[in-house]
């Protein structure tokens, strides 16, 4: 799948489209700016096994977006400027037809409840391993979404490439749907499921990147605690089949969500399998219910009810395991407990503090690879 923006950098593409709304007549176009800044800090408690993690801090996100309407179309142009070079995020045009919306460009694909929520609104600093590992995230493609009373649905055809990353060759398609029988403020019950099928072209040869899944079990700064779940680099085409099941609920200031999913990979000679799941609960001490968008089937921005802001406690258990066979045999598993506390200012600002106890095991050798404690903190500003 080839797109005309293949030879434009993410920054050039953003700059090109950002000037379009300003050039239109006042009654035909609109523009709104938004953004986010995350400053993260991590301190590690290493157990002596493996290579230790180093304490670190960094500006993790510096996003700027322009969105609005342009002659009947919705558009969004978003980039992350925190790294050494800008990276494009949402860059798309969308058109609504009643309760159905078509989207063309680069956008986050529809897979898992945890991944569909913005990082501005999730109650832990890190997403679940299920979302980190299996969700396709930002890809170029064509998507469709819709809703009808208690049902939401979405689907897309997409390239495995993105505006800034052209070494992952291939294509895929996926769908997500769900049912929310309760969806009033303070009373939510949510069920959903997602499937995807992806085709990787010659990973590891002819300029294509190898297909490796290596989540950071100790968090964003934990490069030494990466867990290699699978590794395809022979150049043979790989087919991946993914699924996800999700459930969530809100009862006044209490909320919970749980997901289970997995994937199977096959290149004709080697196979690999991933399974992952988590259970998460939160309690808003100040009494606010967690906000939910039934049309998209996701949690959205919390609005504190008091001038002093809102306080939240959160806990999550996370697990992931990966196997590969027959020649390159591996069977590894990671699990983690996370507890955290969040403070939400009345507008724009949030402070987060998480403690995670993570473990990695090699099941073939029946050995503990490491156990790492991570104290992570974030100062978040968004507008």
């Amino acid at each position: 799948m080839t797109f005309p923006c293949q030879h434009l950098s993410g920054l050039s593409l953003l700059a090109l489209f950002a000037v379009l709304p300003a050039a239109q007549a006042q009654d035909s176009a609109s523009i709104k700016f938004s953004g986010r800044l995350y400053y993260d800090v991590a301190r590690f408690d290493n157990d002596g096994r493996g290579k230790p993690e180093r304490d670190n801090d960094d500006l993790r996100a510096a996003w700027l977006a322009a969105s609005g309407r342009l002659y009947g179309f919705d558009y969004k142009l978003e980039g992350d400027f925190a790294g050494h070079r800008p990276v494009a995020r949402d860059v798309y045009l969308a058109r609504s037809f009643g309760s159905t919306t078509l989207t063309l460009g680069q956008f986050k694909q529809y897979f898992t409840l945890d991944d569909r929520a913005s990082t501005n609104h999730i109650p832990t600093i890190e997403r679940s391993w299920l979302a980190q590992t299996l969700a396709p995230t930002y890809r170029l493609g064509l998507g469709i979404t819709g809703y009808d009373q208690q049902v939401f649905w979405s689907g897309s055809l997409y390239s495995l490439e993105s505006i800034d990353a052209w070494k992952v060759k291939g294509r895929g398609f996926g769908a997500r749907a769900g049912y929310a029988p309760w969806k009033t403020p303070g009373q939510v019950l949510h069920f959903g499921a997602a499937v995807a099928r992806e085709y990787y072209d010659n990973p590891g040869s002819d300029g294509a990147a190898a297909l490796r899944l290596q989540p950071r079990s100790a968090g964003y700064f934990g490069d030494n605690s990466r867990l290699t779940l699978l590794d395809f680099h022979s150049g043979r085409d790989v087919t991946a089949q993914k699924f996800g099941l999700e459930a969530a609920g809100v009862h006044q200031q209490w909320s919970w969500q749980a997901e289970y999913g997995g994937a199977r990979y096959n290149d004709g000679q080697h196979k690999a399998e991933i399974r992952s799941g988590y259970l998460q609960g939160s309690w808003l001490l100040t009494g606010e219910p967690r906000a939910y968008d039934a049309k998209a089937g996701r949690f959205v921005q919390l609005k504190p009810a008091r001038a002093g802001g809102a306080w939240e406690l959160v806990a999550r258990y996370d697990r992931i395991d990966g196997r590969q066979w027959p020649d390159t045999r591996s069977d590894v598993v990671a699990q983690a407990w996370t507890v955290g506390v969040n403070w939400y200012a009345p507008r724009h600002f949030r402070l987060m503090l998480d403690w995670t106890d993570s473990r990695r095991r090699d099941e073939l050798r029946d050995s503990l690879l490491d156990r790492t404690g991570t104290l992570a903190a974030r100062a978040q500003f968004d507008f």
Side-chain angles (χ1 to χ4, degrees):
M1 184 179 294
T2 303
F3 292 83
C5 54
Q6 179 171 354
H7 302 294
L8 291 174
S9 70
L11 181 60
S12 299
L13 191 66
L14 289 171
L16 173 64
F17 281 100
V19 300
L20 290 179
Q24 308 303 320
Q26 184 67 31
D27 60 349
S28 301
S30 65
I31 186 168
K32 177 184 177 181
F33 292 100
S34 59
R36 66 185 72 172
L37 289 172
Y38 300 162
Y39 190 80
D40 284 12
V41 178
R43 298 292 181 264
F44 294 100
D45 179 16
N46 300 290
D47 72 347
R49 298 179 178 89
K51 190 175 180 180
E53 303 293 352
R54 294 185 177 181
D55 300 344
N56 209 339
D57 61 275
D58 197 10
L59 179 64
R60 183 165 172 179
W63 293 29
L64 180 64
S67 60
R69 298 274 295 173
L70 181 64
Y71 290 116
F73 289 87
D74 295 312
Y75 69 89
K76 188 171 185 181
L77 313 151
E78 184 176 56
D80 184 1
F81 301 87
H84 298 296
R85 62 180 182 85
V87 177
R89 299 301 185 186
D90 280 326
V91 181
Y92 63 74
L93 288 174
R95 184 69 181 265
S96 295
F97 304 90
S99 61
T100 301
T101 301
L102 292 173
T103 303
L104 177 65
Q106 178 167 293
F107 54 94
K108 184 180 280 191
Q109 301 303 307
Y110 312 112
F111 197 89
T112 83
L113 173 64
D114 193 32
D115 192 57
R116 292 306 300 157
S118 167
T119 49
N120 287 341
H121 314 318
I122 59 176
T124 55
I125 293 175
E126 305 295 345
R127 296 189 189 273
S128 66
W129 289 331
L130 173 65
Q132 291 183 44
T133 305
L134 298 185
T137 67
Y138 294 94
R139 296 290 183 265
L140 290 158
L142 173 65
I144 184 170
T145 63
Y147 64 91
D148 182 16
Q149 297 180 352
Q150 298 171 318
V151 176
F152 63 88
W153 52 271
S154 55
S156 62
L157 302 171
Y158 56 92
S159 169
L160 298 182
E161 300 167 317
S162 63
I163 291 173
D164 303 284
W166 294 94
K167 290 187 176 182
V168 181
K169 306 294 185 180
R171 61 225 167 268
F173 62 88
R176 176 177 179 256
Y179 173 60
W182 305 341
K183 54 181 181 178
T184 59
Q187 294 291 338
V188 173
L189 185 60
H190 162 107
F191 299 102
V195 293
R197 189 175 180 91
E198 296 175 343
Y199 302 90
Y200 292 82
D201 296 338
N202 45 39
S205 67
D206 298 332
L211 172 56
R212 295 187 179 96
L213 293 184
Q214 297 175 301
R216 295 179 174 96
S217 60
Y220 175 74
F221 295 107
D223 278 330
N224 296 330
S225 295
R226 284 184 178 273
L227 186 70
T228 302
L229 300 173
L230 59 84
D231 185 351
F232 288 91
H233 57 267
S234 67
R236 290 185 295 271
D237 293 349
V238 179
T239 301
Q241 301 178 69
K242 302 179 179 180
F243 77 93
L245 302 172
E246 57 194 61
V250 176
H251 179 68
Q252 302 306 326
Q253 67 267 43
W254 299 90
S255 73
W256 62 272
Q257 65 186 68
E259 294 191 82
Y260 177 77
R264 291 183 67 91
Y265 297 79
N266 191 336
D267 72 354
Q269 293 188 21
H270 298 90
K271 296 180 180 180
E273 183 178 68
I274 293 175
R275 290 290 184 267
S276 184
Y278 72 91
L279 175 63
Q280 176 179 291
S282 72
W283 173 33
L284 280 148
L285 284 68
T286 41
E288 296 88 347
R290 197 171 176 202
Y292 175 77
D293 177 5
K295 295 179 180 179
R298 64 179 181 177
F299 289 104
V300 291
Q301 185 173 18
L302 173 72
K303 296 181 179 179
R306 294 168 173 77
W311 287 90
E312 179 182 36
L313 298 179
V314 61
R316 183 175 73 202
Y317 172 73
D318 215 340
R319 179 184 171 93
I320 192 167
D321 60 77
R323 298 187 302 125
Q324 187 165 350
W325 71 93
D327 296 340
T328 307
R329 291 206 62 195
S330 65
D331 190 350
V332 291
V333 61
Q335 54 187 336
W337 282 97
T338 298
V339 293
V341 58
N342 303 316
W343 175 72
Y344 299 80
R347 295 185 65 185
H348 303 311
F349 191 71
R350 177 168 68 156
L351 293 176
M352 309 176 71
L353 183 67
D354 289 354
W355 169 260
T356 299
D357 183 351
S358 62
R359 304 184 186 191
R360 297 185 302 144
R361 284 189 58 83
D362 185 328
E363 295 294 285
L364 285 180
R365 296 173 175 82
D366 191 24
S367 64
L368 180 65
L369 299 176
D370 72 27
R371 179 177 181 180
T372 303
T374 308
L375 182 65
R378 169 177 292 170
Q380 170 184 316
F381 173 76
D382 63 86
F383 63 94

